[in-house]
Amino acid sequence: MITREKLEQNQIWIYVSTLVAAAALGLLYPALMSNLDHQILISVIIGVLMFGMFTQIPFTSIKESLGNRRFIFAILTANYIAVPIIVWLLSQLLPQQSPVLLGVYLVLLTPCIDYVIVFTHLGRGNEKAMLLSTPILFVTQMLLLPAYLWMFMGNKASDIVNPGPFVEAFLTIIVLPLLLAVVLQLFSRKKRNGAQRLLDVSAWIPVPLMALTLFIIVSSQISKLSVYWDTIILVVPIYIAFMFIMPFISRLIVKWFGLDIRSGRAVIFSAGTRNSLVVLPLALALPENWSTLVAAIIVTQTIVELVGELIYIHVIPNVILRDTAFGENSDKN
């Protein structure tokens, strides 16, 4: 019998299988699969996906999440001070083309708020602390992303970003599902049985809808990417370098803040795992002549990251931050 827990624990293999199938069908039957490239269809699916994801983020527990201040300060330092510095340095190795930089910045400057929880658990980290930090990470990345884009790109970003569709996508695909999820959580806390049942059902949404989103994007776009292969290949080493560097930088931050082992691993997973899910709708809202390339750059990061996470769950607890690190026991709270 398939349970939600089994679905979440095996999501990486579901995504990998989906990507392989999508790429194969997109290359073998390009005319057929291109019919899936419909903006309204993609927007609706992503909107439902975002709703399902947001219902699992404990927005009503923000006060509780602020209780572990050292952990919060450490995770914010890693994601919004260390990460932007590393990303900017790595981006200097890329072609200085606006859409390429925008795609890389969009995906690498936003910390993951969904499947990072599962990987933190698999990597023997503090998944509860990771879960409680997700509302703070979501709000802060939405506030800081425009500032970092302006800081790193200046007027280059405005040359290709039409504010109208960009704002519309943000409101309809991110803000609206977010508000609905928060309202549902509030009703469920008031012991409304219907709201609680809907909340339980929505917990099944993220994994299959994420797989469906990846399938539609990859299968419908891969045949159009022949002119971009040279560019896409260039971003892969950047993504690999990012995933290699961040655990070591994060370990220094963890030591600086004096976190216990399991919380430290959660910080490391957060710093190395990025949020392609939230920024993908923003990429699709770009002008048509750039959206395919930027979306491809973002999806490429997801592919690299899925492989990297398989390595992370073994290397982080056994090499980067072992149970004996800092002379502590991993069970310390």
Side-chain angles (χ1 to χ4, degrees):
M1 180 179 177
I2 297 177
T3 64
R4 181 167 61 86
E5 289 73 20
K6 288 183 179 179
L7 195 66
E8 291 176 348
Q9 290 174 2
N10 291 283
Q11 60 183 290
I12 188 168
W13 300 113
I14 295 172
Y15 299 152
V16 169
S17 301
T18 299
L19 289 168
V20 171
L25 289 172
L27 293 172
L28 292 173
Y29 308 103
L32 176 63
M33 302 313 295
S34 64
N35 293 325
L36 295 176
D37 186 13
H38 196 288
Q39 186 64 43
I40 295 178
L41 172 65
I42 295 173
S43 297
V44 170
I45 291 174
I46 293 180
V48 175
L49 169 60
M50 299 301 286
F51 169 75
M53 184 190 72
F54 288 148
T55 58
Q56 307 312 303
I57 296 176
F59 289 105
T60 55
S61 301
I62 290 182
K63 185 177 180 180
E64 181 182 352
S65 68
L66 292 172
N68 191 349
R69 293 186 179 180
R70 280 193 303 167
F71 176 78
I72 293 300
F73 286 144
I75 207 168
L76 292 177
T77 300
N79 279 296
Y80 300 124
I81 296 179
V83 166
I85 292 172
I86 297 301
V87 170
W88 185 82
L89 290 173
L90 289 175
S91 71
Q92 304 310 300
L93 303 175
L94 288 168
Q96 298 301 294
Q97 301 170 8
S98 296
V100 175
L101 294 174
L102 182 61
V104 170
Y105 289 149
L106 278 174
V107 73
L108 290 188
L109 291 174
T110 48
C112 182
I113 53 174
D114 41 57
Y115 59 51
V116 67
I117 300 165
V118 175
F119 291 125
T120 300
H121 170 72
L122 294 175
R124 305 205 303 272
N126 190 337
E127 71 272 16
K128 181 180 179 182
M130 188 70 255
L131 174 65
L132 289 174
S133 71
T134 52
I136 296 173
L137 289 176
F138 174 74
V139 173
T140 49
Q141 69 183 261
M142 288 297 100
L143 292 175
L144 292 174
L145 180 59
Y148 281 124
L149 290 179
W150 177 81
M151 189 185 305
F152 291 167
M153 298 186 68
N155 293 331
K156 292 181 180 179
S158 62
D159 291 340
I160 61 173
V161 176
N162 183 345
F166 206 71
V167 172
E168 181 181 351
F170 180 74
L171 292 176
T172 58
I173 300 178
I174 296 177
V175 174
L176 180 58
L178 171 63
L179 293 177
L180 291 174
V182 171
V183 169
L184 184 62
Q185 289 183 16
L186 290 173
F187 273 104
S188 69
R189 293 190 69 176
K190 294 180 179 180
K191 309 300 182 183
R192 302 290 179 88
N193 293 332
Q196 185 58 53
R197 283 195 295 270
L198 183 55
L199 203 60
D200 293 339
V201 171
S202 66
W204 287 81
I205 291 177
V207 175
L209 264 291
M210 178 64 172
L212 180 59
T213 301
L214 290 173
F215 180 83
I216 290 176
I217 297 296
V218 173
S219 64
S220 64
Q221 302 295 327
I222 192 168
S223 63
K224 306 174 185 178
L225 297 180
S226 58
V227 296
Y228 299 130
W229 281 126
D230 291 345
T231 301
I232 292 172
I233 289 173
L234 292 176
V235 304
V236 172
I238 299 300
Y239 293 149
I240 294 173
F242 177 85
M243 293 200 75
F244 176 81
I245 292 170
M246 285 315 304
F248 296 98
I249 301 295
S250 303
R251 188 182 189 277
L252 296 176
I253 294 171
V254 167
K255 185 176 182 180
W256 184 32
F257 280 94
L259 298 184
D260 64 90
I261 300 300
R262 294 184 68 246
S263 295
R265 289 171 184 158
V267 171
I268 294 172
F269 270 98
S270 178
T273 312
R274 302 291 87 192
N275 200 351
S276 61
L277 179 61
V278 165
V279 297
L280 187 57
L282 304 181
L284 296 174
L286 293 170
E288 187 175 354
N289 55 328
W290 294 119
S291 63
T292 300
L293 174 57
V294 176
I297 289 173
I298 291 172
V299 172
T300 299
Q301 190 276 336
T302 300
I303 297 171
V304 173
E305 183 172 87
L306 290 175
V307 176
E309 294 294 336
L310 288 175
I311 300 172
Y312 267 15
I313 61 177
H314 296 289
V315 171
I316 288 176
N318 295 314
V319 178
I320 303 296
L321 200 58
R322 295 177 294 176
D323 290 343
T324 55
F326 312 149
E328 297 185 39
N329 186 284
S330 63
D331 292 329
K332 179 180 176 182
N333 293 320

